[in-house]
């Protein structure tokens, strides 16, 4: 049995995927409307955190605070030997604290942040970056493989989150850089629709030009399922980590400032930020 807590843009398709693969999870979200959606997707909704207890509990929560609050309700009722796979993107230091709290309760905690978005969660093709005990990962790897096509053990607790923050800082920076470069081309007379096939056949390409621009920006759909607010959170966490370990950031910090300054509200799709940079 799998418990799944947090049924937002990522947790909901994870629930659907697990159910479709024959493992309908016990699903909980503090928002009853999300629980109803997860039930429609094949999950088994429960009315309290405690009822979601299971040998494997997957978390998909917005931030450290939500994870702390869920663990406070869950740890007293989880069976000893249970494993928590936390797919939320959070501070690596918080992940280490959570791991220690879980160890005291006889529970293993893995930081298992993911990349691949809502579509990847629905298709079971996420990339998962894992920090923590290898034996605990071995025990739950078959279940996690139902949602993640690539599961990469990065290192000790927190290492998965560090990898995720490095990745998303690069994504945020690539998106701003691509928007500025495309704006240059457009102002010089070559619009994105002419530039993108060239860049994507050449060495300037990135996920920003290969995926974000055609799929969500040029199309005008802006429906990636990842919000500007969550990307701003990831950038802030990456900047805090950089300060903690004294790793200077210059270019990435400027890109981060562009994300902070962009008019797109936190609940807007994150692709609005590069679109606004392009249009500025
Ligand atoms: P979301 O805001 O859409 O969903 C979060 C869900 O958690 C909401 O349904 C909310 O009601 C629920 N929740 C919040 N606090 C809770 C609590 N205390 N108890 C129970 N439920 C609670 O977020 P999301 O886009 O699904 O992202 C989830 C996590 O995954 C975030 O940490 C995000 O950074 C990360 N992530 C998101 C994406 C993406 O494409 N959306 C991709 C990779 C990683």
């Amino acid at each position: 049995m799998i418990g799944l807590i947090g049924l937002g843009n990522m947790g909901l398709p994870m629930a659907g995927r697990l159910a479709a693969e024959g493992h309908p999870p016990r699903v909980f979200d503090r928002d009853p409307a999300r629980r109803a959606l997860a039930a429609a997707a094949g999950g088994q909704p429960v009315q309290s955190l405690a009822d979601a207890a299971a040998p494997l509990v997957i978390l998909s929560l917005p931030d450290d605070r939500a994870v702390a609050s869920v663990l406070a309700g869950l740890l007293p009722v989880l069976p000893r030997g249970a494993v928590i796979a936390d797919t939320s993107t959070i501070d690596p230091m918080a992940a280490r604290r959570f791991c220690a709290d879980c160890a005291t309760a006889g529970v293993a905690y893995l930081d298992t942040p993911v990349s691949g978005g809502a579509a990847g969660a629905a298709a079971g093709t996420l990339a998962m970056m894992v920090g923590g005990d290898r034996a605990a990962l071995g025990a739950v790897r078959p279940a996690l493989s139902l949602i993640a096509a690539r599961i990469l053990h990065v290192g000790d607790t927190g290492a998965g989150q560090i990898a995720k923050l490095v990745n998303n800082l690069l994504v945020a920076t690539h998106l701003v850089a691509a928007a500025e470069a495309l704006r240059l081309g457009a102002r010089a007379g070559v619009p994105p629709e002419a530039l993108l096939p060239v860049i994507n056949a050449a060495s300037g390409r990135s996920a920003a030009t290969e995926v974000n621009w055609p799929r969500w920006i040029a199309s005008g759909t802006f429906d990636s399922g990842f919000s500007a607010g969550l990307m701003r959170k990831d950038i802030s966490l990456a900047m805090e980590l950089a300060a903690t370990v004294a790793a200077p950031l210059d270019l990435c910090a400027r890109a981060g400032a562009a994300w902070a300054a962009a008019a797109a509200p936190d609940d807007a799709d994150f692709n609005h930020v590069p679109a606004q940079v392009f249009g500025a």
Side-chain angles (χ1 to χ4, degrees), residues 6 24 85 89 95 111 120 137 190 219 226 236 255 272:
T89 304
D111 47 306
L137 173 60
V190 183
S219 67
F226 187 49
S236 296
H272 280 293

Side-chain angles (χ1 to χ4, degrees), residues 44-131:
Q44 302 177 12
V46 295
Q47 298 305 314
S48 75
L49 260 181
D51 292 335
L56 168 62
V57 179
I58 299 172
L59 308 184
S60 178
L61 295 162
D63 52 29
D64 303 3
R65 212 166 55 161
V67 175
S69 140
V70 164
L71 289 182
L74 205 54
L75 285 184
V77 295
L78 274 186
R80 286 187 81 79
V83 178
I84 292 178
D86 187 1
T87 69
S88 325
T89 304
I90 59 166
D91 180 357
M93 315 304 164
R96 288 173 189 151
R97 287 197 304 276
F98 295 146
C99 186
D101 295 344
C102 288
T104 305
V107 168
Y109 173 95
L110 298 169
D111 47 306
T112 58
V114 292
S115 180
T125 57
L126 294 170
M128 183 175 273
M129 312 153 208
V130 184

Side-chain angles (χ1 to χ4, degrees), residues 215-239:
R215 194 177 295 173
W216 296 304
I217 301 174
S219 67
T221 55
F222 294 99
D223 61 353
S224 73
F226 187 49
S227 68
L230 286 179
M231 181 56 107
R232 288 181 176 124
K233 172 202 65 172
D234 295 355
I235 295 167
S236 296
L237 289 172
M239 306 290 284

